[in-house]
Amino acid sequence: MSESHFQSGRRDFLKQSAILGAGIFASTAYALEPRITPQIKNIYPFYHQYQQGIATPAQKNIYFMVVDLHTTDIEKIKEMFQTWTAYSANLTLGKNVKQYGDNIYVPPVDTGEADSLNPYHLTLTFGVSPTFFDKLGISKLKPEELKELPHFPRDQLKAEYTGGDICIQACANDPQVAFHAVRNLVRIGRANITMRWSQAGFNSYEGSDTPRNLFGFKDGTGNPQGEELAKTVWYQKDNWLKGGSFLVARRVQMHLETWDRTNLMGQEETFGRHRDSGAPIGMKNEFDSVDIHQKDAKGNTVIPEISHLHLAKKTGLSILRRSFSYSSGVDTRTGQFDAGLLFISFQKDPQQFITIQNSLGNIDKMNEYITHIGSGLFACFAGVKDENDYLGKALFDAI
Ligand code: HEM
């Protein structure tokens, strides 16, 4: 949309609100203006074969929310997803959830903190957990892959970061835009849902560089691309989830103080990559190929067998990692940073994640520096194809 289009649209609105408000006491003086979209290019299309926020490039900020259902009325949940669809279509265009009215005696329809902000590539991704099906009495529609994740070695999951029925992943290149989206979706769903846990996160990078995690290492290098990505993430079976994906979320606390006392060689052996370049140990460049069987002159594997890279790679499996760092103040028990990684991965079958996590298990050298404290598994619907479609339609139609 050109600047002039935008300006005339805004003038039209003001004219319209003046007409509408002509007979109403003082209301036009206070009427809120609609949210504007000055940089229309910062948009990922909402209507698509696949949900956004999976294969779309990772943005700089996330606000991840998990909610519980407090109704068993399927019709109400369906209506909520229909409203969320309409709201999401607007939000991802950089609009308010709905156009403001001019009645100053009711709360504004949109909470307003993103007014005048552009869309910042906002994506909204929705998924449902195994308990969603149990609570609504539709367990027969639960895909066989959608089971609670098993207990992994060294897990120390906390109730406050685990469980929940629906997840909303909001990602954007601005933290306020991401938060605003989730806040407004939760606000309209309040009659049916209660917030359970959430986590904000960030990724910083210049241009197309791979972001570094809080251990200072490039994170995301080995992610699948193109055809391989498609084969890794999209659920293919012929049921309501076709074209969707499974989202695994893990809140992983990273013990920064311990890490910061580890020498560089130890840090690099932990990941199996060089810190500066991101190259596999023994190689020069970040995207140089990884050969976990390569031996040095003494017969030792060049990429240590207990390194994160070696153990992940040896499974031969692939997942799409779309993680974000977090820093949530101080852990009052230890006086250390409450910081880490909101690990998020997408895969067509949770077993891909389970096998890799079991391979990392007790052996991964990185275990000395991390603790998994939160967890969730969600089946993310296929995309909303057009305005006649809505989030989860294939599931609700199957009931
Ligand atoms: C705090 C937790 C974690 C940190 C800091 C971390 C960090 C890293 C880093 C720095 C790399 C190398 C660069 C790259 O390819 O991205 C990597 C690779 C990888 N990580 Fe993690 N990771 C964490 C947890 C996990 C978990 C929980 C899983 C899955 C169960 C996982 C699976 C992988 C995979 C599959 C690779 C790519 C290996 C390949 O090149 O094929 N990571 N991770």
Side-chain angles (χ1 to χ4, degrees):
M1 192 190 287
S2 71
E3 189 67 12
S4 59
H5 264 108
F6 149 65
Q7 280 173 351
S8 67
R10 187 157 166 251
R11 271 199 303 274
D12 285 351
F13 171 78
L14 292 175
K15 213 161 48 185
Q16 219 179 5
S17 50
I19 297 164
L20 283 171
I24 305 168
F25 167 70
S27 64
T28 47
Y30 299 101
L32 295 164
E33 290 184 17
R35 187 164 159 202
I36 52 174
T37 304
Q39 288 179 35
I40 204 89
K41 62 179 190 289
N42 290 342
I43 287 173
Y44 286 131
F46 176 73
Y47 296 110
H48 198 274
Q49 178 187 6
Y50 301 125
Q51 277 202 80
Q52 342 162 278
I54 302 175
T56 36
Q59 301 91 324
K60 295 193 168 168
N61 300 93
I62 189 169
Y63 196 84
F64 186 77
M65 171 64 76
V66 179
V67 300
D68 278 329
L69 295 176
H70 59 233
T71 174
T72 53
D73 185 337
I74 294 178
E75 211 43 46
K76 283 189 182 156
I77 302 303
K78 179 171 145 183
E79 278 165 25
M80 180 177 73
F81 275 111
Q82 288 168 337
T83 307
W84 279 356
T85 305
Y87 276 25
S88 300
N90 282 337
L91 286 163
T92 50
L93 284 173
K95 295 181 179 174
N96 296 119
V97 289
K98 276 196 199 169
Q99 194 167 336
Y100 285 131
D102 58 1
N103 182 352
I104 61 167
Y105 299 105
V106 295
V109 285
D110 188 289
T111 56
E113 72 270 36
D115 285 10
S116 78
L117 293 177
N118 80 65
Y120 281 104
H121 275 135
L122 173 70
T123 54
L124 292 163
T125 318
F126 298 81
V128 291
S129 78
T131 51
F132 177 89
F133 294 83
D134 303 337
K135 283 194 184 168
L136 294 180
I138 51 169
S139 301
K140 63 177 194 314
L141 288 171
K142 206 191 295 182
E144 57 178 346
E145 298 85 351
L146 187 63
K147 300 183 203 109
E148 294 300 340
L149 290 174
H151 176 85
F152 295 105
R154 302 177 61 105
D155 267 3
Q156 288 187 37
L157 303 184
K158 297 185 177 174
E160 63 263 39
Y161 303 122
T162 309
D165 302 322
I166 302 174
C167 76
I168 307 173
Q169 176 196 249
C171 299
N173 288 320
D174 180 274
Q176 192 150 318
V177 165
F179 179 78
H180 166 261
V182 172
R183 176 182 177 190
N184 281 271
L185 293 170
V186 169
R187 179 187 187 212
I188 197 67
R190 285 254 182 222
N192 305 309
I193 54 166
T194 315
M195 289 189 285
R196 184 176 179 102
W197 67 277
S198 75
Q199 185 61 57
F202 54 89
N203 264 331
S204 289
Y205 50 88
E206 302 294 340
S208 56
D209 286 358
T210 309
R212 288 182 189 272
N213 60 37
L214 296 181
F215 286 159
F217 278 71
K218 295 186 179 190
D219 202 328
T221 308
N223 261 338
Q225 310 283 338
E227 265 299 292
E228 199 203 333
L229 185 154
K231 276 195 225 142
T232 300
V233 299
W234 304 124
Y235 186 81
Q236 308 288 353
K237 289 191 189 166
D238 222 358
N239 60 43
W240 64 266
L241 187 56
K242 190 168 187 176
S245 192
F246 289 100
L247 180 159
V248 170
R250 306 281 289 181
R251 192 184 197 266
V252 186
Q253 189 166 6
M254 291 162 62
H255 307 297
L256 304 185
E257 288 80 356
T258 317
W259 181 258
D260 294 344
R261 289 193 297 269
T262 304
N263 66 42
L264 180 59
M265 192 169 71
Q267 293 190 353
E268 295 192 334
E269 283 173 357
T270 301
F271 284 113
R273 286 188 176 271
H274 293 298
R275 186 170 109 154
D276 186 31
S277 62
I281 289 186
M283 307 296 272
K284 275 185 99 166
N285 302 310
E286 182 185 357
F287 295 100
D288 284 348
S289 60
V290 177
D291 177 3
I292 55 168
H293 304 295
Q294 198 195 343
K295 302 252 168 71
D296 61 17
K298 289 183 190 155
N300 298 320
T301 38
V302 176
I303 299 173
E305 282 174 7
I306 55 167
S307 69
H308 189 65
L309 181 58
H310 193 112
L311 291 165
K313 196 95 188 154
K314 86 172 195 197
T315 62
L317 293 172
S318 166
I319 54 177
L320 175 70
R321 289 164 295 130
R322 220 173 172 283
S323 309
F324 291 79
S325 298
Y326 71 82
S327 131
S328 298
V330 176
D331 182 338
T332 48
R333 286 171 311 120
T334 58
Q336 303 199 328
F337 284 108
D338 180 5
L341 192 74
L342 177 62
F343 172 93
I344 292 184
S345 68
F346 291 94
Q347 45 273 304
K348 64 178 175 219
D349 186 337
Q351 193 57 47
Q352 294 158 257
F353 168 83
I354 295 169
T355 303
I356 297 172
Q357 180 60 19
N358 274 329
S359 173
L360 303 177
N362 275 321
I363 315 168
D364 191 351
K365 190 161 156 43
M366 196 176 59
N367 287 326
E368 294 171 35
Y369 306 100
I370 61 167
T371 309
H372 286 233
I373 56 176
S375 182
L377 172 66
F378 303 88
C380 296
F381 311 118
V384 178
K385 319 268 172 321
D386 53 39
E387 284 165 24
N388 299 317
D389 193 5
Y390 63 88
L391 288 158
K393 181 171 186 297
L395 170 62
F396 291 104
D397 285 351
I399 292 173

